[in-house]
Amino acid sequence: MFAKRTSWNMAPNRLSEALAVHRAAGKPLLDLTVSNPTECGFEYDRSAILNALSNPDALAYEPNPRGLESARRAVAGYYADRKDDVSAEDIFLTTSTSEAYSYVFRTLCDPGDELLIPSPSYPLFDFLAEIQDVRLARYSLIYDHGWQIDFHALGQGITPRTRGIIVVHPNNPTGHFAKHAEIAKLNSICSAREMAIIADEVFLDFALDGSRAASFAANRGAPTFTLSGLSKISGLPQMKAAWLIAGGPQQWKREALARLEVIADTYLSVNAPVQLAIPKFLEQRHAFHKQVSARVRRNLAELDRQLAEQSACSRLTVEGGWCAVLRVPATRSDEDLAIELVTAQGVSVHPGLFYEFPADGYLVVSLITPERTFTEGSSRLLSFF
Ligand SMILES: Cc1ncc(COP(=O)(O)O)c(C=O)c1O
């Protein structure tokens, strides 16, 4: 009686099983996969965050498909601070970037239409697409003097049913930003074929060298949807506050906004207290960003110090985001390796397989891991080889 799209394999994977057995035995685990910022020992301004949620204006219901204007103005202000010109009228608030993806997929795709996603990348796309009856095709990212888009593969992945290209900027877990020349190519491909760019910028602020990467939110060269939110920007994933911006050629944008408005009006999903708190939550980003940047730099420096003392493993170039990718000897599958690291070394890492690396020999570690755990975990990880 259930839809075929929900017939997922619900069995835990072998790595989750190994982790569960390890934990059940009460053995200590050095977790180098943490991505939830509220569990990483960062300091938050508790009273500012909690007080922001008790605005008396929340007692009134003011339905607006785009979300409250005060919140959208604050989001536009975030882009203005980055020197990106975004109008509050082009913004829709959502409860997560996942929800924003679903609005975009629904706006662009009929059942069976296709979207291109980068590979390797964020593993949630398959579920998001399947739930919306969208098919995914992959375009590879190649690692050659840093990561870059394989435009040949991307061109081959386009079919008459392709409606858009997803770009994660910077990508998770490879940590590379789309470059100016790549953005120009994406614009020309998408505008020529009536496709949209869908840019996920949740990690945009986290460039390792402190530079300010250009946002797709100000892109005018092709139909563009830009997604971001407070999960990463302010380290507040529990507040469920994100957004979607439509941009690009004026006529296309008007049409996209009108269609999005109907979808958003059907759900009106973001609650009033959170919307009213968004300006204050956005202010929290400065203190959060400072702490994350310091930790990521220190962990990366420690990783490099340890890597310099051995020759079996190396790390790939990272430009931004919260992860580092390690190149390790491919003597077994990455999944088997990650399981052995749990059982033999008490260290948890993500196998490259989770992100669809093209071959074995890649492990991913989180650079927001608390520093002592990161230092000890990296040391145990590298001593395995
Ligand atoms: C690339 C990317 N996009 C989106 C998200 C999730 O964001 P949200 O909590 O707003 O759904 C993540 C979470 O790790 C991510 O890595």
Side-chain angles (χ1 to χ4, degrees):
M1 65 173 281
F2 296 108
K4 282 196 205 73
R5 81 168 82 76
T6 61
S7 52
W8 296 294
N9 175 5
M10 313 273 189
N13 63 44
R14 291 194 301 123
L15 177 56
S16 311
E17 278 174 351
L19 281 164
V21 168
H22 189 87
R23 287 199 173 102
K27 295 182 187 162
L29 184 74
L30 293 161
D31 187 358
L32 302 187
T33 68
V34 283
S35 62
N36 177 349
T38 65
E39 290 179 351
C40 289
F42 295 120
E43 275 179 30
Y44 288 90
D45 185 340
R46 296 164 59 96
S47 56
I49 293 168
L50 295 175
N51 289 340
L53 288 169
S54 53
N55 187 326
D57 289 350
L59 293 171
Y61 182 38
E62 259 186 70
N64 181 334
R66 281 172 168 72
L68 289 179
E69 196 181 332
S70 56
R72 287 183 289 116
R73 278 191 192 285
V75 174
Y78 158 77
Y79 286 99
D81 285 352
R82 325 180 77 263
K83 314 276 181 255
D84 291 314
D85 182 18
V86 174
S87 157
E89 282 309 296
D90 299 341
I91 300 173
F92 283 82
L93 301 181
T94 60
T95 54
S96 60
T97 49
S98 295
E99 187 178 60
Y101 273 118
S102 78
Y103 286 12
V104 172
F105 291 4
R106 280 311 201 191
T107 306
L108 287 177
C109 299
D110 286 316
D113 281 346
E114 295 167 16
L115 292 169
L116 278 161
I117 60 164
S119 179
S121 193
Y122 178 52
L124 205 67
F125 289 129
D126 287 296
F127 288 98
L128 289 170
E130 223 166 298
I131 292 169
Q132 315 293 328
D133 297 331
V134 168
R135 286 210 212 119
L136 295 179
R138 267 100 177 134
Y139 64 92
S140 5
L141 302 171
I142 35 182
Y143 188 74
D144 184 11
H145 300 86
W147 288 97
Q148 29 209 315
I149 296 175
D150 179 346
F151 277 97
H152 178 67
L154 187 142
Q156 289 194 319
I158 297 174
T159 75
R161 298 208 67 172
T162 309
R163 297 284 170 264
I165 302 174
I166 294 181
V167 181
V168 186
H169 178 59
N171 190 34
N172 176 13
T174 59
H176 76 286
F177 290 88
K179 308 296 177 302
H180 286 301
E182 292 178 320
I183 295 170
K185 269 194 192 169
L186 288 168
N187 277 340
S188 89
I189 294 169
C190 287
S191 50
R193 302 201 185 218
E194 298 199 314
M195 303 189 313
I197 296 173
I198 302 155
D200 179 331
E201 297 189 339
V202 296
F203 291 109
L204 185 69
D205 293 346
F206 300 95
L208 207 59
D209 64 3
S211 62
R212 193 192 302 117
S215 167
F216 277 87
N219 188 34
R220 303 285 177 262
T224 305
F225 293 106
T226 304
L227 285 56
S228 191
L230 295 184
S231 294
K232 310 288 190 261
I233 290 177
S234 296
L236 294 170
Q238 75 279 36
M239 297 306 174
K240 309 307 292 176
W243 55 84
L244 162 63
I245 301 168
Q250 278 301 326
Q251 202 187 330
W252 177 84
K253 187 173 84 174
R254 261 198 306 278
E255 183 76 13
L257 290 170
R259 288 164 189 253
L260 279 170
E261 189 168 314
V262 176
I263 295 179
D265 198 28
T266 307
Y267 294 104
L268 294 168
S269 56
V270 191
N271 69 70
V274 164
Q275 294 192 58
L276 289 163
I278 282 177
K280 285 270 180 284
F281 289 167
L282 270 168
E283 282 172 18
Q284 301 302 311
R285 75 183 188 276
H286 304 291
F288 178 70
H289 184 267
K290 218 165 152 182
Q291 296 177 71
V292 170
S293 298
R295 180 167 304 168
V296 164
R297 285 206 190 98
R298 280 197 292 262
N299 279 343
L300 207 51
E302 173 61 21
L303 182 61
D304 287 346
R305 190 191 65 73
Q306 294 190 22
L307 285 168
E309 290 174 353
Q310 52 85 66
S311 56
C313 309
S314 58
R315 81 162 167 88
L316 306 192
T317 305
V318 49
E319 297 170 6
W322 295 0
C323 293
V325 180
L326 292 174
R327 185 80 181 83
V328 300
T331 51
R332 67 210 91 189
S333 79
D334 288 351
E335 190 180 25
D336 284 341
L337 176 57
I339 291 169
E340 265 192 80
L341 285 166
V342 171
T343 52
Q345 305 292 88
V347 179
S348 173
V349 296
H350 277 150
L353 171 84
F354 274 17
Y355 304 90
E356 296 191 0
F357 275 78
D360 287 316
Y362 296 93
L363 297 177
V364 176
V365 294
S366 165
L367 294 170
I368 62 163
T369 305
E371 284 153 55
R372 275 167 66 183
T373 305
F374 189 86
T375 301
E376 175 65 18
S378 303
S379 154
R380 286 216 215 151
L381 164 64
L382 295 178
S383 69
F384 181 80
F385 298 98

